[in-house]
Amino acid sequence: MVSATIPSVYFHHLPTITLPSTTTSNNHETLTFEVIRLNKPHLHQTLLSISKTHTIKALIVDFFCAASLSIASQLNIPAYIFFTSGAGCLALFLHLPTIHQKTTKSLKDLDTFVDAPGLPPILYSDMPKPVLDRTDKAYEYVIESATCFPSSVGIIANTFESLETRALKAISDGLCVPNKTTPPIYCIGPLITSSTEKNGGVPECLTWLDSQPSRSVIFLCFGSLGLFSKEQLREIAIGLERSGQRFLWVVRNPPSDNQTLATSPQSDPDLDSLLPDGFLDRTKDRGYVVKTWAPQVAVLNHNSVGGFVTHGGWNSVLEAVSAGVPMVVWPLYAEQRINKVLLVEEMKIALPINESKNGFVAVSEVEKRVTELMDSDTVNSVRERTVAMKIAAEEALSEGGSSRVALTRLTESWKH
């Protein structure tokens, strides 16, 4: 589809990799790193093949592929990291090898805060799951990846300068990598997609939003992978009902016994069996439940939406910021607990969800946060700050804006 739209874009498909039968892991990040490691010879061969007919100006890889920078170095190809999360997480990952050297303990055993430049206090227990256990193979891969970052020619980040000023300054000042030179950072965001259709036509939820008052609806959606247990779904439903707020809620099936993330196609949920008896009837005048998927960008930019309960994935964060919609952050996986702290404490554009020790969120907390975000004067500063960041995002992407200038500077460097 991309090639049909932009004929100058070509795709080179690497061979399918089969993991050895000895590979065992309960961690999908470990398997991802393993696949990429085994693909390095194929990447090397592909780059050699391309270089016979073209001059390769740059190789851009993501976080998981950072170990491939060594191949670019062997072939004298300038290599860049594309970091798909924010500058706050980037600062932390750049500093991770330093943290690793300062302790012999697993991070999950450190009952204290991360001391990372440019960041507010973040508990070690809020770090992503793959780095919590020092004995986990995933931890080894993440440290290796983070160690490779400074050897890149530059780091491209999906953020914009005025959103994360303090973290970006710490990175640029070299504070996150004390013993190496930090490559330049190119902030070119917010980069977001805007597809509103699935299987053709305008989704019914957008038509429903058309009938709702301005800024009256809270939108609940937890990314493409987030799943909740049946018990948690019921707590959310009761909390929404008790709040009295208008809502648009995307519901997926609970995870199966061997599945914690929606890494495979999901069937539509049976709402009657998952939600409390009579819930859909009692809330039909002010609520709309969507099965599995909703056009998030279109929903967030709809005039009727005034708040967003999100898992805090970075794409969702940028989509909310670009729409000027304040958030309640309910982290589920990956770097989302870090994002929660940054959004609440540093950027001040979100409210936190408070969980129990086992990660469960009670009815009272759902009701409290939904009500607070939609019907409380105390959130005015959060709402005003979010609108200010929306304007700043538009300015960053405009002609002469910081993100447009950074992207131009990056592409111009490839011409020389």
Side-chain angles (χ1 to χ4, degrees):
M1 189 175 190
V2 173
S3 295
T5 307
I6 310 173
S8 60
V9 174
Y10 298 87
F11 287 91
H12 296 261
H13 296 279
L14 302 183
T16 300
I17 291 296
T18 302
L19 290 170
S21 58
T22 54
T23 301
T24 57
S25 177
N26 294 322
N27 195 324
H28 72 274
E29 289 90 353
T30 302
L31 300 179
T32 301
F33 279 118
E34 283 286 334
V35 168
I36 291 167
R37 180 182 65 82
L38 292 171
N39 245 318
K40 285 178 67 174
H42 300 297
L43 175 63
H44 186 276
Q45 190 58 45
T46 299
L47 292 173
L48 281 176
S49 176
I50 295 172
S51 64
K52 291 177 181 178
T53 54
H54 298 79
T55 300
I56 302 177
K57 294 291 188 177
L59 173 68
I60 302 175
V61 300
D62 70 6
F63 171 82
F64 287 98
C65 299
S68 301
L69 295 178
S70 59
I71 295 174
S73 177
Q74 294 169 25
L75 300 176
N76 293 317
I77 298 172
Y80 298 78
I81 300 284
F82 179 41
F83 195 76
T84 55
S85 194
C89 280
L90 174 59
L92 190 52
F93 276 106
L94 285 170
H95 200 60
L96 197 56
T98 302
I99 296 172
H100 171 76
Q101 293 168 4
K102 287 182 176 180
T103 181
T104 57
K105 292 184 177 180
S106 289
L107 301 190
K108 63 183 176 64
D109 297 325
L110 298 175
D111 187 21
T112 183
F113 293 97
V114 181
D115 180 19
L119 301 180
I122 296 173
L123 286 167
Y124 277 108
S125 57
D126 282 338
M127 295 285 280
K129 182 181 176 182
V131 300
L132 290 177
D133 187 349
R134 199 180 184 96
T135 64
D136 194 320
K137 188 67 176 178
Y139 178 89
E140 179 185 328
Y141 280 132
V142 172
I143 294 296
E144 177 189 23
S145 186
T147 302
C148 291
F149 273 41
S151 64
S152 66
V153 174
I155 301 174
I156 307 164
N158 188 12
T159 189
F160 56 101
E161 289 182 2
S162 52
L163 182 65
E164 301 188 86
T165 306
R166 195 161 71 98
L168 286 168
K169 186 177 188 307
I171 295 170
S172 299
D173 289 349
L175 302 180
C176 301
V177 189
N179 300 317
K180 295 180 181 179
T181 301
T182 303
I185 310 298
Y186 300 92
C187 297
I188 63 171
L191 303 176
I192 59 176
T193 58
S194 56
S195 175
T196 61
E197 296 187 3
K198 186 178 183 181
N199 300 325
V202 177
E204 291 181 6
C205 63
L206 295 180
T207 303
W208 179 81
L209 283 173
D210 290 340
S211 66
Q212 304 305 309
S214 176
R215 305 300 177 205
S216 67
V217 177
I218 190 161
F219 177 46
L220 298 90
C221 188
F222 299 91
S224 58
L225 300 178
L227 299 175
F228 287 117
S229 67
K230 184 175 181 178
E231 293 75 19
Q232 185 65 82
L233 289 173
R234 286 176 174 271
E235 295 285 302
I236 296 172
I238 297 170
L240 286 174
E241 185 172 358
R242 289 183 181 176
S243 75
Q245 300 296 325
R246 299 174 188 270
F247 64 88
L248 174 61
W249 179 20
V250 180
V251 173
R252 287 195 181 89
N253 274 316
S256 59
D257 292 339
N258 59 353
Q259 183 185 35
T260 57
L261 298 176
T263 54
S264 58
Q266 300 283 299
S267 59
D268 282 347
D270 179 357
L271 298 179
D272 289 327
S273 67
L274 288 176
L275 305 180
D277 291 342
F279 169 78
L280 294 172
D281 285 335
R282 291 192 301 272
T283 60
K284 63 182 179 181
D285 292 333
R286 60 177 174 85
Y288 193 101
V289 179
V290 182
K291 296 180 180 180
T292 308
W293 179 88
Q296 183 164 290
V297 173
V299 169
L300 288 170
N301 282 278
H302 198 286
N303 181 61
S304 295
V305 173
F308 183 28
V309 181
T310 173
H311 61 317
W314 192 245
N315 286 338
S316 293
V317 168
L318 291 181
E319 289 164 7
V321 168
S322 297
V325 177
M327 292 165 273
V328 170
V329 188
W330 186 335
L332 300 177
Y333 55 89
E335 89 288 16
Q336 292 160 16
R337 292 186 181 280
I338 299 171
N339 289 344
K340 173 183 172 182
V341 176
L342 295 172
L343 291 166
V344 173
E345 303 295 339
E346 187 73 12
M347 304 176 207
K348 303 184 188 304
I349 56 176
L351 302 177
I353 274 281
N354 294 315
E355 309 162 282
S356 63
K357 288 186 177 180
N358 65 0
F360 196 75
V361 176
V363 166
S364 57
E365 178 67 9
V366 175
E367 178 187 3
K368 174 185 175 182
R369 289 308 188 191
V370 166
T371 303
E372 187 178 5
L373 188 67
M374 299 300 291
D375 193 27
S376 172
D377 291 338
T378 61
V379 184
N380 282 343
S381 61
V382 172
R383 194 172 297 278
E384 290 169 2
R385 173 80 174 159
T386 308
V387 172
M389 284 298 104
K390 174 188 177 181
I391 296 170
E394 293 170 349
E395 291 175 346
L397 293 174
S398 65
E399 192 68 37
S402 61
S403 294
R404 184 75 70 88
V405 169
L407 181 58
T408 300
R409 184 161 46 93
L410 175 64
T411 55
E412 285 294 324
S413 71
W414 298 339
K415 296 179 181 180
H416 306 295

